Amino acid sequence: MNETSNPLAIILLINSVIIISLILNQNESKNESASTQTSSVVNPLELITWGCVLIQLVLLLINLKVVN
């Protein structure tokens, strides 16, 4: 089976792009708000990013088990 036609590999790729875009978005927003706020409130995008990273790790483990 070709790796690119594997649905799990496609989901991993999409999730990777989402994680990268969320991290870049947080980076830009943190630079913009660094001078205006000094609050310790957790950004909701940060929680979404950690959730996506956790999903990515679980899917990667599943993919490794399925391929081997």
Side-chain angles (χ1 to χ4, degrees):
M1 178 184 267
N2 193 357
E3 288 269 339
T4 57
S5 66
N6 184 358
L8 195 55
I10 294 170
I11 294 171
L12 283 166
L13 181 65
I14 292 170
N15 199 21
S16 297
V17 171
I18 291 171
I19 290 171
I20 291 169
S21 65
L22 283 169
I23 290 172
L24 290 175
N25 187 11
Q26 287 178 41
N27 221 6
E28 290 174 4
S29 65
K30 184 156 264 194
N31 288 340
E32 291 172 1
S33 68
S35 60
T36 60
Q37 276 186 339
T38 57
S39 176
S40 63
V41 176
V42 178
N43 187 358
L45 287 177
E46 187 174 345
L47 294 175
I48 295 171
T49 303
W50 281 111
C52 287
V53 168
L54 183 64
I55 291 170
Q56 183 81 3
L57 291 174
V58 169
L59 289 175
L60 186 59
L61 288 173
I62 291 170
N63 191 24
L64 288 173
K65 283 292 188 182
V66 169
V67 170
N68 289 337

